[in-house]
Amino acid sequence: MIFKKIPSVWTSRAIFRNYYSVSPQPVPPLAQTLERYLRALEPLLPPDELTHTHKMVLQFGKEGGLGIRLQEGLENRARHSQNWISDWWVHWAYLESRQPLAVHSNPAISLPKRDFSDWRGQLVFASKLIAGVLDFKAKIDSGRMPVEYMRGHPLCMELFPHLFSSCRIPGPKHDHVVHHGRSRRGPAHITVVRNYQFFQLDVYNSDGTPLTESQIHGQLVRIRSQSWKTDKEPMGILTSEHRHTWGQAYNRLLRDKINKDSVRLIEKGVFTLCLDSPVMRISDEKYSSRMAAQILHGGGTYSNSGNRWFDKTLQFVVGEDGSWGLLYEQATAEGPPIASLLDHILKFCKKTDRRRSPLIPLPMPKKLYFYIDPEIKWDIEMAKQNLDILINDLDINCFNFKRFGKEFAKQLNLSPNSLIQVALQLAYQRVHGELCAACDIASLRMFRGGRTDYIRSPTNQSLKFVLAFDDPEVSREAKVELLREATEAHTQLTEQALLGQGIDRHLLGLKLQSIEEGLSVPRMFMDTAYGLATHWKLRTGQVPSNTDSVMCFGPLVPDGYAVCYNPQSDHVHFSITAFNCCEETNAEKLAVTLENTLCDLQELLEPSV
């Protein structure tokens, strides 16, 4: 078990009540999932392979077959656990992954530039930001956090308390997550990192009240005065390593008591604030891409990558040039709670702090020291090399599509998200000449302890539309009808996933149930079709935000893309990433093609008179 599913003493009563007011997540019927799985394969496989897979799936699901046994095991697991798949999913998707958290896992969100351009404005805004996060945490701790609803149903709020004072710990075979906020008086400090140096900043007075913005600002000025020069050894770089490598270095690091005490303080902190140094000025056109990269990985070992602790659940980044954003670790955090947090911060930033600061002087923030022996020095050098290789391999292209936004789709009675998904399918086909396994994300927060499921974007309807769109012999009316059918098909899949009737978590559960029972993995999951269907060449995600933020993360596979988008009323922000080492993929080419494709769809749906 990764998380205790019965809320502990630090969880507010409101969230405790909410936890049991949401429904348990259902196990979908086996026959339904297998039928939908075969349908999802149709746009991806040639007929002969589909016939072979069809026989295998029928064999798996037949009466008295292995599928029935595993389904019964899942249903029994559902009866005796808070959620039958979430723990397995977190362990399988995140904690067992050995890839670096930087780029491969942790999503970054870049927020609109603030109106300052020096260290003074940086510290003033950082003070306001810290106060806003603490105010959000106070709402959770006191039970004032309102329960969120979707379509009249309460949503599970379980993840909200886990955002704070939590951290991922590397291990040899798998990682684990620790939560240090379980006691009634959890950690009272945050970690501030500047010029690769870490500081413990207590953010509560002795009576338990949070520091005022003025008090926080005074402490940040003190931290700046103690960190003029960049530390020679960027300790945070170690957390960007391959998880097995970092796990070994972690154990070596903690052999020394000074190191152990410093690492524990970073892990226990409510969150981490990264005060980044200025980066090289670039054109406005490339600014959003550069800022997204800065938040995502720090820009490299000669820039701000040493100002990160990638294992930490929440890291806020504030640059001297007015850039700012958030980096989060997905085993504990995910999009909707992060969006709620950012929305609260943005509203809080518009308020004036009228509290009077106490006259009692505050202690100096504590600098965290590390003893670096030759082994650790070597670990850092290797981590620096590997991170720079990874950063140089990642291509990021962000752009703001200004021709239309979500209101355009709504006026035509189309789902904005589904329209963008179909546009992505068409753009990918135009670049690569085929459809690929592509996933959109659906939140399962309508269920107790629910996390996410995939929405499989390629459908028979989207394939028909994609093949017809660039065919001059197909009439405009026919293309419009095919587009509507494609968007409706995606909308239906979205609805199914939101109601807990998606196929991917169920298929994963069946596979893991066989392992749990000590059985051989069923042949269906060893089939090349399953490998193709889960080789996500197009990883997509919608930013659930009402502000002009840009989210980005790396592709799931070496020959794939990651596409994030944030539809606003009259424009859409996009970020596209790909790896330079793959000759077939090109983030800029897909970005240009996607922009042209969206323009073509607008022309199709609303032709000029």
Side-chain angles (χ1 to χ4, degrees):
M1 295 286 286
I2 307 305
F3 302 131
K4 286 186 178 179
K5 291 301 180 184
I6 297 177
S8 45
V9 291
W10 54 268
T11 308
S12 71
R13 292 177 182 175
I15 291 178
F16 185 93
R17 289 194 301 270
N18 159 261
Y19 190 81
Y20 291 100
S21 69
V22 295
S23 305
Q25 186 172 328
V27 181
L30 179 63
Q32 171 185 286
T33 292
L34 296 182
E35 178 191 349
R36 290 176 176 175
Y37 170 57
L38 287 172
R39 199 180 307 149
L41 292 175
E42 289 174 1
L44 302 175
L45 291 180
D48 55 337
E49 287 188 36
L50 199 59
T51 300
H52 170 77
T53 300
H54 195 275
K55 292 176 182 176
M56 199 174 289
V57 170
L58 287 180
Q59 180 71 17
F60 176 78
K62 72 177 183 181
E63 192 68 35
L66 179 57
I68 300 296
R69 172 180 172 177
L70 298 178
Q71 176 75 2
E72 290 172 351
L74 285 183
E75 290 170 351
N76 183 59
R77 178 179 169 85
R79 285 191 291 271
H80 296 92
S81 62
Q82 300 297 339
N83 188 293
W84 60 272
I85 189 61
S86 286
D87 278 354
W88 271 354
W89 164 248
V90 169
H91 210 273
W92 179 84
Y94 303 122
L95 301 181
E96 287 184 4
S97 172
R98 302 291 79 198
Q99 287 189 310
L101 296 186
V103 173
H104 290 288
S105 183
N106 290 5
I109 300 179
S110 176
L111 279 298
K113 193 174 186 291
R114 310 295 297 192
D115 60 349
F116 59 83
S117 56
D118 60 13
W119 68 266
R120 294 175 180 81
Q122 177 191 35
L123 298 191
V124 169
F125 175 69
S127 306
K128 174 74 80 172
L129 173 64
I130 292 170
V133 179
L134 296 179
D135 188 65
F136 184 80
K137 183 177 183 295
K139 287 178 68 176
I140 295 172
D141 294 343
S142 65
R144 293 182 289 114
M145 183 76 186
V147 172
E148 296 177 347
Y149 285 80
M150 183 171 66
R151 302 177 186 180
H153 296 280
L155 300 179
C156 181
M157 306 289 284
E158 177 200 29
L159 285 183
F160 282 78
H162 291 294
L163 295 175
F164 304 104
S165 300
S166 60
C167 193
R168 183 161 160 175
I169 309 298
K173 294 183 178 179
H174 62 80
D175 297 353
H176 68 280
V177 175
V178 290
H179 300 289
H180 293 284
R182 295 192 184 279
S183 61
R184 289 191 182 278
R185 290 207 65 177
H189 72 278
I190 67 170
T191 307
V192 179
V193 54
R194 181 177 183 270
N195 282 342
Y196 309 165
Q197 296 159 74
F198 290 81
F199 294 84
Q200 175 190 353
L201 171 58
D202 292 329
V203 288
Y204 293 96
N205 292 300
S206 56
D207 62 358
T209 58
L211 299 188
T212 64
E213 290 173 34
S214 175
Q215 287 177 302
I216 295 170
H217 180 262
Q219 295 295 74
L220 291 180
V221 171
R222 287 170 131 186
I223 286 174
R224 186 175 186 276
S225 69
Q226 292 185 75
S227 56
W228 282 107
K229 293 184 178 180
T230 301
D231 258 19
K232 292 181 180 178
E233 303 302 339
M235 294 302 300
I237 293 282
L238 288 172
T239 65
S240 71
E241 266 284 24
H242 182 280
R243 301 307 291 171
H244 179 71
T245 305
W246 166 220
Q248 292 177 321
Y250 182 87
N251 291 332
R252 285 192 287 272
L253 189 65
L254 265 61
R255 289 193 300 232
D256 181 88
K257 186 180 183 303
I258 292 174
N259 295 342
K260 187 173 184 177
D261 290 345
S262 294
V263 170
R264 289 288 181 259
L265 283 168
I266 294 171
E267 293 170 350
K268 290 179 180 180
V270 178
F271 59 89
T272 295
L273 172 71
C274 313
L275 294 174
D276 278 6
S277 300
V279 295
M280 186 174 65
R281 293 177 182 270
I282 53 171
S283 65
D284 291 343
E285 183 184 348
K286 295 184 178 179
Y287 179 82
S288 62
S289 298
R290 169 65 66 85
M291 285 307 103
Q294 276 292 317
I295 307 299
L296 184 65
H297 49 59
T301 56
Y302 291 98
S303 187
N304 289 296
S305 292
N307 285 355
R308 305 285 184 273
W309 195 267
F310 289 101
D311 293 359
K312 194 68 184 154
T313 301
L314 281 181
Q315 296 188 91
F316 292 92
V317 180
V318 181
E320 282 191 19
D321 63 349
S323 62
W324 72 291
L326 166 67
L327 188 67
Y328 64 95
E329 198 285 304
Q330 289 193 101
T332 308
E334 61 186 31
I338 293 296
S340 298
L341 169 59
L342 287 175
D343 185 56
H344 181 87
I345 292 169
L346 290 166
K347 290 177 180 175
F348 187 90
C349 285
K350 296 176 182 177
K351 301 177 182 177
T352 302
D353 187 4
R354 302 188 184 281
R355 293 178 299 157
R356 295 184 63 180
S357 298
L359 298 176
I360 302 171
L362 296 170
M364 182 73 78
K366 177 184 176 183
K367 184 172 181 178
L368 307 184
Y369 289 95
F370 293 92
Y371 170 68
I372 301 171
D373 62 22
E375 277 189 294
I376 298 299
K377 168 79 171 169
W378 174 257
D379 290 333
I380 293 172
E381 288 306 311
M382 289 297 98
K384 286 163 68 175
Q385 289 182 30
N386 291 334
L387 180 59
D388 282 340
I389 290 170
L390 177 60
I391 288 173
N392 289 329
D393 190 29
L394 186 72
D395 186 15
I396 300 180
N397 191 294
C398 299
F399 68 94
N400 183 8
F401 180 74
K402 299 179 180 180
R403 289 277 292 268
F404 66 82
K406 56 187 177 184
E407 289 305 317
F408 171 74
K410 290 179 179 178
Q411 288 167 8
L412 297 166
N413 293 318
L414 297 173
S415 159
N417 185 55
S418 296
L419 181 62
I420 291 172
Q421 284 291 327
V422 174
L424 283 168
Q425 293 289 302
L426 178 54
Y428 186 93
Q429 195 274 340
R430 284 174 159 180
V431 173
H432 295 282
E434 63 180 4
L435 294 190
C436 69
C439 59
D440 188 12
I441 306 296
S443 173
L444 295 176
R445 289 179 62 212
M446 282 175 61
F447 306 108
R448 190 179 307 157
R451 296 294 298 259
T452 61
D453 202 347
Y454 288 148
I455 306 161
R456 289 181 167 269
S457 302
T459 60
N460 288 323
Q461 292 88 342
S462 67
L463 178 61
K464 288 178 183 177
F465 169 71
V466 162
L467 294 177
F469 189 80
D470 290 320
D471 185 346
E473 295 185 6
V474 179
S475 68
R476 175 188 168 271
E477 291 74 17
K479 291 177 183 179
V480 170
E481 185 58 31
L482 289 172
L483 175 58
R484 288 193 174 276
E485 289 174 2
T487 55
E488 180 58 32
H490 184 272
T491 302
Q492 288 180 4
L493 290 176
T494 302
E495 189 74 21
Q496 292 168 8
L498 291 173
L499 295 175
Q501 301 299 312
I503 65 172
D504 280 282
R505 296 298 174 268
H506 190 196
L507 291 172
L508 175 65
L510 292 166
K511 180 181 178 181
L512 296 180
Q513 182 66 29
S514 68
I515 297 171
E516 182 89 351
E517 294 186 20
L519 304 172
S520 299
V521 175
R523 288 179 59 209
M524 186 181 88
F525 299 112
M526 308 299 286
D527 185 25
T528 54
Y530 186 74
L532 174 73
T534 53
H535 187 77
W536 305 105
K537 287 188 177 183
L538 199 53
R539 173 194 192 186
T540 73
Q542 180 178 352
V543 185
S545 172
N546 292 321
T547 188
D548 285 315
S549 56
V550 177
M551 185 166 78
C552 72
F553 40 64
L556 282 172
V557 294
D559 56 342
Y561 299 92
V563 181
C564 296
Y565 51 94
N566 179 5
Q568 298 298 299
S569 60
D570 60 356
H571 60 278
V572 186
H573 291 282
F574 285 96
S575 76
I576 299 177
T577 60
F579 291 117
N580 292 317
C581 64
C582 179
E583 293 182 2
E584 287 79 34
T585 57
N586 185 304
E588 184 177 1
K589 186 175 182 180
L590 183 61
V592 170
T593 306
L594 176 58
E595 193 161 9
N596 292 335
T597 298
L598 289 165
C599 292
D600 290 344
L601 293 184
Q602 183 185 28
E603 178 66 24
L604 175 71
L605 292 167
E606 200 177 61
S608 55
V609 179

